[in-house]
Amino acid sequence: MSNELMVAIVGLIGSLAGSIIGVMGSAKLLTYRITQLEEKMKKQCENCAVMDGRVDRIEERQSVMEEKIKVANHRIENLEKKG
């Protein structure tokens, strides 16, 4: 076998090995980052569920307070009419 052919074969094997190692490393990093993102999103969704419950309670309190204000204003109007 000639030296040129040996050099070409060794270069080909080296290039293939480097490419395969690079692709595998990149895939591993991508998988890790996706997993981290999924965990972050899961935590955020849990926080959103908690916040939704709080917002619902705040909206209920607000509607009760608005009704109380309407009743108080009505009573004030009645007192002003009598006075």
Side-chain angles (χ1 to χ4, degrees), residues 11-44:
L12 177 65
I13 291 171
S15 295
L16 286 175
S19 295
I20 290 171
I21 291 171
V23 168
M24 290 177 70
S26 177
K28 188 183 232 183
L29 178 62
L30 184 61
T31 302
Y32 171 76
R33 292 179 74 184
I34 288 173
T35 303
Q36 295 299 314
L37 183 59
E38 287 173 346
E39 289 176 10
K40 185 177 180 180
M41 291 304 295
K42 189 183 297 183
K43 288 179 184 177
Q44 188 174 5

Side-chain angles (χ1 to χ4, degrees), residues 42-79:
K42 189 183 297 183
K43 288 179 184 177
Q44 188 174 5
C45 287
E46 290 170 0
N47 290 340
C48 288
V50 170
M51 291 301 292
D52 285 343
R54 291 178 183 172
V55 169
D56 290 341
R57 288 194 301 263
I58 290 170
E59 288 174 347
E60 289 174 9
R61 289 179 189 167
Q62 180 182 3
S63 66
V64 168
M65 293 302 292
E66 288 174 353
E67 188 62 32
K68 286 182 178 181
I69 290 171
K70 286 180 186 177
V71 169
N73 286 337
H74 185 67
R75 287 182 181 175
I76 291 170
E77 288 175 9
N78 287 342
L79 288 173

